[in-house]
Amino acid sequence: MCRFLVYKGSNPILLSDLILNPTHSILTQSYDSRLRLDRRRPHNGDGFGVGYYTSPELSDEPCIFTSTTPAWNCVNLARLAKKTISSLVFAHVRATTTGALSESNCHPFAYGSLMFMHNGHLADFNRIKRKLVSSIRDEYFLMIQGSTDSEWAFALYLDTLESLGVDPMNPPTKNGFGHTLLRQAMLGTIERLNKFWAEAGTDEPSLLNFAATDGHSVICTRYVSSQTDEAASLYFSSGTRFHEYKEGGFYRMERHDRGQDLVMVASEPLTFERGDWVTVPTNSILSINKQTVLIHPIIDQYYQANPSYTRSTAFAESKGMVGQGPETELGRAAAAAAAAAAVTTATAAASTASASTNIINSTPPTPSSVVSELERLAIIQTQIQIQVGEPLFSLM
């Protein structure tokens, strides 16, 4: 499986400070992935890609650099990263599951102003491929250049976006499609994939950690098509400054107030600072609108309404991944608040599943313990807002 990284900030960042220099940068993850258990193929060395947006005066489309050379051994990547800045960056290192080793199979993929990448796999892809191909419009069938299941998932996403009444090649406003529309298209894509698997009689779960952007808003999913298995790992971090505080690649996220100037989403944390990273709940969708983070539960047949249920990590581990990484103070607080929201909703309306399903704590906390956790979050000046039934929580 692969690793990916998203950066979105109000100010541009030098690519080397994001993908090269941190102690556990995505380049380091290409040969030293701490949340991969696959000892047969322990490296993410089947190519890489970096996509970023430049000045709108040049183009609304992203600039993408891909190579089949392992990221740790590509001198051109180092040269590019030291001289390039951007306020929205996608980075991906690949460990192939479907598709040959070629630049056309390296993520991220692009169509117009849209960019897309994937960590995971589409189960029984050969059994659902014909149905998938038959269901999409000609322009998205013809845009495919490689042979990965991920690129076909992107084609399905574009087709779903057009079904919502917009042209994926022409954003409706100067600020793109908007996070709501991008999120609806992602949810529709997952729904269509689940329908294909149901028709094919597929029992194996699929790991669908997707990331998509139009250059303005970002959508990420942490999803597994199972009600009992854990998804592949995914984290986010937000603050006012990401910088090297000690020589040797020791970076951390600083928070000077309750606002945020930048947000990062990653398969693995880039730093070892425990307070920097929050676990994205299983089967949820994360949206970044400007620098505000919203997390919604994905409520479908694989939604787990019981907040105290612990999903099994065995499947994710069988694919060489860790489903649950180390907890952080912020992650535990988010889990506690989300679990409390789930309990509140279940009590008010047992027939509707509209609350959270973050599975970190096995016992739902009392309201007082949630307040205690949120008070401790104030120390690091990050605000969590619980909205039952709408976003799981938001950081503003």
Side-chain angles (χ1 to χ4, degrees):
M1 296 296 174
C2 313
R3 307 279 86 178
F4 72 52
L5 167 68
V6 174
Y7 169 89
K8 186 177 187 301
S10 56
N11 297 309
I13 190 172
L14 187 66
L15 263 59
S16 59
D17 284 332
L18 185 65
I19 64 177
L20 301 183
N21 298 339
T23 306
H24 198 54
S25 67
I26 194 166
L27 182 145
T28 302
Q29 292 173 31
S30 66
Y31 63 84
D32 182 20
S33 178
R34 301 296 176 89
L35 297 186
R36 280 193 63 191
L37 302 177
D38 190 347
R39 300 308 175 194
R40 299 165 301 167
R41 305 184 64 192
H43 300 137
N44 297 291
D46 296 328
F48 69 89
V50 179
Y52 54 92
Y53 292 85
T54 58
S55 169
E57 297 176 357
L58 297 177
S59 175
D60 292 331
E61 298 180 2
C63 177
I64 294 181
F65 173 60
T66 58
S67 176
T68 55
T69 303
W72 67 79
N73 200 34
C74 183
V75 65
N76 286 330
L77 174 62
R79 290 168 176 165
L80 178 75
K82 292 176 182 177
K83 301 294 183 181
T84 304
I85 62 173
S86 178
S87 58
L88 206 170
V89 182
F90 275 21
H92 187 281
V93 291
R94 185 171 182 245
T96 179
T97 56
T98 302
L101 181 63
S102 70
E103 289 188 4
S104 60
N105 285 333
C106 291
H107 310 217
F109 307 106
Y111 184 84
S113 64
L114 293 162
M115 192 159 52
F116 182 96
M117 58 185 176
H118 174 211
N119 176 32
H121 79 300
L122 273 59
D124 280 346
F125 180 58
N126 288 335
R127 293 180 63 189
I128 69 165
K129 185 176 179 179
R130 181 178 289 276
K131 286 184 176 294
L132 191 160
V133 170
S134 299
S135 72
I136 62 175
R137 296 170 174 84
D138 288 347
E139 52 266 45
Y140 310 124
F141 170 79
L142 295 173
M143 76 160 209
I144 298 294
Q145 298 181 4
S147 55
T148 66
D149 53 353
S150 302
E151 190 176 13
W152 283 107
F154 181 36
L156 188 66
Y157 177 74
L158 295 172
D159 188 79
T160 305
L161 186 61
E162 182 168 336
S163 297
L164 294 174
V166 296
D167 179 1
M169 187 60 74
N170 297 295
T173 72
K174 65 177 182 179
N175 293 319
F177 297 91
H179 66 98
T180 300
L181 196 60
L182 294 180
R183 182 170 58 248
Q184 290 173 347
M186 188 66 76
L187 294 173
T189 300
I190 292 174
E191 182 180 3
R192 292 172 72 178
L193 286 170
N194 282 331
K195 182 179 178 182
F196 295 148
W197 285 313
E199 293 173 350
T202 298
D203 294 324
E204 179 186 346
S206 293
L207 297 169
L208 306 181
N209 284 15
F210 292 138
T213 182
D214 60 357
H216 301 275
S217 303
V218 177
I219 303 295
C220 299
T221 60
R222 184 184 181 212
Y223 185 87
V224 58
S225 57
S226 168
Q227 198 173 33
T228 58
D229 293 299
E230 187 60 274
S233 60
L234 193 66
Y235 303 85
F236 77 93
S237 180
S238 61
T240 52
R241 184 187 178 205
F242 183 67
H243 73 109
E244 186 178 27
Y245 68 93
K246 186 171 72 172
E247 290 186 5
F250 294 94
Y251 282 68
R252 67 184 172 198
M253 183 71 75
E254 286 189 354
R255 299 176 180 88
H256 298 304
D257 52 47
R258 291 180 181 270
Q260 296 160 167
D261 294 322
L262 63 99
V263 180
M264 293 188 291
V265 183
S267 302
E268 294 190 23
L270 272 63
T271 72
F272 299 115
E273 299 290 325
R274 294 183 63 85
D276 280 357
W277 298 90
V278 182
T279 302
V280 176
T282 300
N283 283 25
S284 62
I285 185 165
L286 179 150
S287 310
I288 307 174
N289 177 35
K290 297 181 180 179
Q291 271 57 255
T292 297
V293 177
L294 301 172
I295 298 184
H296 295 74
I298 299 176
I299 302 177
D300 60 11
Q301 65 267 43
Y302 302 116
Y303 174 72
Q304 181 54 258
N306 181 1
S308 64
Y309 184 84
T310 301
R311 289 174 177 260
S312 169
T313 61
F315 177 72
E317 291 173 358
S318 73
K319 296 297 180 180
M321 294 185 174
V322 171
Q324 291 262 52
E327 294 182 27
T328 65
E329 180 181 13
L330 184 57
R332 286 193 298 271
V343 172
T344 300
T345 302
T347 302
S351 62
T352 59
S354 60
S356 86
T357 178
N358 192 337
I359 314 301
I360 295 179
N361 295 332
S362 59
T363 304
T366 63
S368 61
S369 68
V370 175
V371 172
S372 177
E373 292 288 349
L374 294 178
E375 287 175 345
R376 283 197 285 169
L377 287 180
I379 297 174
I380 58 175
Q381 297 181 329
T382 299
Q383 183 180 23
I384 290 183
Q385 295 182 349
I386 308 300
Q387 300 179 23
V388 179
E390 268 301 302
L392 197 59
F393 57 86
S394 65
L395 298 183
M396 306 180 68

